[in-house]
Amino acid sequence: MKKRILSGVQPSGNIHLGNYLGALRNWVALQHEYESFFCIVNLHAITVPQDPAELAAKTRELARIYLAVGIDPKVSTIFVQSDVSQHAELAWVLNCITRMSELERMTQFKEKARRQRENVGVGIFDYPVLMAADILLYQADLVPVGEDQKQHLELTRDLAERFNRDYGETFRVPEPFIPPVGARIMSLSDPTKKMSKSDEDERGAIGLLDDPDTVRNKFRRAVTDSGMEIRFDQRRPAIHNLLTIYQLLTGQTREEIEAHFSGRGYAQLKSELAEVTIEFLRPLQERIRAVGDDELNRLLAEGAERARSIAAETYRLVKERMGLVGAR
Ligand code: TYM
């Protein structure tokens, strides 16, 4: 039997190159080797306020993006989290074996809590437990994500092991898949921060739907380091980040890239990188627009059905293990 993958993206903000290079791209590469489930995690998106019409539109747009980057619905299952009720149900069960201190430790929670100060939503606090439910419901072996999700994966593994120990073998304990290059693409306007959908400074992230002029402008204004040389040097994070994007989009080796830019300046790197990105985004955006509404409806309905059948099986086992029975 093939091993399983599960991963997801939140349909909030604008999906950017970091999401693609850190996650989506690897989903495409792994999907033929594994039985794959790719979720649009809209229940995670509502942990911060969302405009309902916009959330609905973003959810469908993200499904189009999944298809356009190369997720093949013939071999992979694409579905919307809220279409499968077991995600929320299992999250509740897992809440009951999770400790407050485990969630208080989560870096993403701490960051978000710092920004909101008072009245941090319970949803934001509980976010990693819902994520664990997403993964464990499908008995996933592998979870391809960017580096920022590593801690959430560790919690998922801990919860799976705890449940298995206390209630008997139930969940497969998943491994993260974090790519060696591209797991943490940095903001163009602040290379000490990751490229992020929720960044107030829009120039920091290249959206997969950005038009050519926007892409050129964002790269032109990207922060650089002092110095002149164009080399992969960790001590110069801004240039390192631009070069990493260039490497992943062109498929060239680091040596080839350094040789190509030898003797050239930062302006040249930025303008070539902009053109490489535009050429990557052009066909992608065409494919996004080409997905018809009916096709999308059909795919998401089929995806939800396939996902439900597996989620239901796991959740039935969980209920049995825990003694959650009612009328017989
Ligand atoms: P989200 O929506 O923030 O991001 C989606 C994916 O993109 C990766 N990513 C990045 N990779 C490299 N560089 C960056 N700057 C960058 N920014 C984001 C993320 O690591 C992620 O893989 N909690 C998840 C969504 C989720 C999930 C799941 C993932 C919910 N349930 C179950 C896997 C399995 C999140 O907020 O991703």
Side-chain angles (χ1 to χ4, degrees):
M1 234 174 63
K2 269 192 183 175
K3 289 193 167 183
R4 273 200 199 137
I5 276 182
L6 177 124
S7 198
V9 176
Q10 294 189 63
S12 56
N14 294 322
I15 310 303
H16 52 68
L17 270 185
N19 298 131
Y20 175 73
L21 298 174
L24 294 169
R25 178 176 184 272
N26 302 314
W27 303 2
V28 174
L30 292 165
Q31 66 180 334
H32 295 286
E33 228 179 293
Y34 291 80
E35 186 185 357
S36 306
F37 293 84
F38 299 119
C39 186
I40 295 159
V41 292
N42 57 350
L43 296 174
H44 279 102
I46 61 167
T47 55
V48 295
Q50 300 286 345
D51 174 75
E54 200 175 313
L55 178 63
K58 288 273 175 199
T59 300
R60 293 176 65 82
E61 180 185 282
L62 185 50
R64 289 190 162 86
I65 291 176
Y66 282 10
L67 292 168
V69 295
I71 302 298
D72 178 354
K74 287 197 214 71
V75 296
S76 302
T77 301
I78 298 176
F79 69 104
V80 176
Q81 191 183 27
S82 63
D83 279 345
V84 183
S85 61
Q86 286 84 2
H87 289 248
E89 291 179 271
L90 181 60
W92 176 257
V93 168
L94 295 177
N95 274 333
C96 298
I97 64 160
T98 308
R99 304 172 190 128
M100 296 280 284
S101 59
E102 287 176 302
L103 299 182
E104 278 160 357
R105 270 207 301 276
M106 294 287 131
T107 317
Q108 287 208 338
F109 168 71
K110 284 197 282 190
E111 267 169 34
K112 287 178 185 166
R114 197 177 331 115
R115 266 185 259 147
Q116 292 188 276
R117 283 276 155 94
E118 280 155 49
N119 290 324
V120 181
V122 174
I124 289 194
F125 185 61
D126 201 27
Y127 181 114
V129 179
L130 178 60
M131 178 162 163
D134 298 340
I135 297 166
L136 300 181
L137 266 183
Y138 298 89
Q139 306 285 11
D141 298 278
L142 199 68
V143 184
V145 284
E147 221 231 5
D148 60 347
Q149 300 301 318
K150 198 171 163 200
Q151 201 185 22
H152 293 161
L153 252 296
E154 278 157 16
L155 176 75
T156 304
R157 290 170 55 85
D158 288 345
L159 293 180
E161 279 164 3
R162 190 173 307 158
F163 191 98
N164 289 348
R165 187 197 61 210
D166 292 350
Y167 297 101
E169 202 57 32
T170 307
F171 294 121
R172 211 165 296 170
V173 181
E175 297 280 344
F177 175 92
I178 296 171
V181 179
R184 192 172 174 82
I185 299 294
M186 308 311 280
S187 159
L188 300 185
S189 44
D190 180 355
T192 63
K193 292 196 316 199
K194 67 173 182 179
M195 187 177 280
S196 159
K197 282 181 266 181
S198 53
D199 200 338
E200 290 109 54
D201 184 359
E202 282 206 348
R203 287 172 310 167
I206 302 282
L208 295 188
L209 291 154
D210 281 354
D211 62 42
D213 282 343
T214 308
V215 172
R216 281 191 197 100
N217 275 327
K218 286 180 179 172
F219 278 122
R220 194 177 308 125
R221 294 165 77 171
V223 168
T224 48
D225 313 281
S226 59
M228 298 273 287
E229 258 187 300
I230 300 184
R231 280 193 302 110
F232 283 88
D233 179 354
Q234 294 280 9
R235 287 166 304 177
R236 292 194 296 151
I239 294 301
H240 191 274
N241 189 44
L242 296 179
L243 287 172
T244 300
I245 299 174
Y246 190 92
Q247 179 190 353
L248 290 169
L249 291 182
T250 61
Q252 293 173 18
T253 64
R254 294 189 164 191
E255 292 71 29
E256 284 168 337
I257 296 168
E258 287 181 351
H260 173 74
F261 285 110
S262 150
R264 300 194 184 159
Y266 289 165
Q268 180 80 21
L269 167 62
K270 287 172 165 191
S271 89
E272 285 193 35
L273 179 54
E275 295 316 308
V276 162
T277 305
I278 290 165
E279 286 320 308
F280 164 72
L281 293 179
R282 196 191 309 279
L284 178 68
Q285 293 174 357
E286 274 165 25
R287 288 195 296 273
I288 292 173
R289 282 192 291 269
V291 181
D293 265 336
D294 290 345
E295 183 189 354
L296 197 65
N297 289 339
R298 186 175 46 77
L299 273 174
L300 291 178
E302 282 171 11
E305 194 153 329
R306 244 187 288 169
R308 260 184 230 126
S309 69
I310 293 174
E313 200 183 308
T314 307
Y315 193 59
R316 189 190 50 73
L317 190 62
V318 167
K319 286 184 17 181
E320 202 179 287
R321 293 275 196 266
M322 292 193 92
L324 296 171
V325 292
R328 291 186 210 246

